[in-house]
Amino acid sequence: ENLSPPLELKWRHRASSALGPSLLVTHDLVVYGTLDGKIEGVNLPDGKKVGRIKIRGNFAATCVAYKNFILIVRRISQPTFQLYDLLNGHSLWKIKGNGVFAEPMVAGDNVYYVDINDRLCSRSLIDGSERWKVKLDAQSHSTPAFGNGLVVVGDDEGKVYAVNSAAK
């Protein structure tokens, strides 16, 4: 939408601690990770707290939307990936994996991310299975992007990689 100043504050909500780098809006909810290890949900129209998921060990996490679900991605604790059903309030699956520094990216039924072992990875959101991984030349704190069937990511040394999303 076009912004028309002056802007009007609609509501304010107090999170349990500082917010992580991503805010997610899905199904009239604002969902975000906090640095004290929680995923919190707030009703977008009125700013009221809807719920909170505590991350075991108070480790920071992030999340991305996928259909009626959110994929919770823990930075360093286990399980690394958890597909959570927003409508029914339970997990569909949980998968152990390597830590993830940068924000993951969802395209179709897959999530793309860079793990702490310098690999660009693809995982199915249907069952959590790993589809493929490609070793990068250096560590990456870059969020992957998707276009024309390619997953594109940069590394911390300034190299940009493009990988066919169907790679095995």
Side-chain angles (χ1 to χ4, degrees):
E1 293 182 28
N2 291 327
L3 295 178
S4 301
L7 302 178
E8 176 186 344
L9 179 66
K10 294 292 185 182
W11 52 261
R12 184 183 324 243
H13 174 79
R14 178 65 116 167
S16 65
S17 79
L19 301 185
S22 295
L23 292 171
L24 168 66
V25 175
T26 183
H27 300 286
D28 280 343
L29 292 176
V30 177
V31 181
Y32 52 85
T34 62
L35 298 184
D36 65 347
K38 296 177 181 76
I39 299 292
E40 298 181 347
V42 175
N43 189 9
L44 183 59
D46 63 14
K48 303 281 187 210
K49 182 173 116 178
V50 175
R52 173 184 297 165
I53 302 167
K54 177 108 170 75
I55 305 301
R56 186 181 67 206
N58 291 340
F59 289 104
T62 190
C63 56
V64 290
Y66 170 66
K67 299 182 180 178
N68 289 327
F69 313 104
I70 57 171
L71 177 67
I72 299 169
V73 181
R74 290 165 179 81
R75 300 289 185 205
I76 58 173
S77 71
Q78 300 294 337
T80 307
F81 302 97
Q82 176 181 358
L83 191 65
Y84 189 80
D85 186 330
L86 289 169
L87 301 177
N88 297 311
H90 70 308
S91 295
L92 276 71
W93 52 258
K94 296 178 184 180
I95 301 289
K96 291 183 177 183
N98 293 315
V100 178
F101 289 142
E103 299 303 299
M105 188 265 315
V106 169
D109 290 331
N110 300 295
V111 62
Y112 302 94
Y113 59 95
V114 179
D115 71 12
I116 61 173
N117 293 326
D118 312 333
R119 297 178 299 202
L120 174 62
C121 306
S122 174
R123 189 171 290 279
S124 168
L125 288 167
I126 295 169
D127 61 8
S129 63
E130 185 175 84
R131 293 184 59 237
W132 52 259
K133 57 188 169 192
V134 173
K135 181 72 173 151
L136 305 178
D137 292 338
Q139 188 175 46
S140 174
H141 289 83
S142 175
T143 298
F146 183 82
N148 295 332
L150 298 174
V151 180
V152 181
V153 70
D155 71 20
D156 291 358
E157 293 180 353
K159 294 178 186 166
V160 178
Y161 305 81
V163 178
N164 183 333
S165 66
K168 298 258 182 193

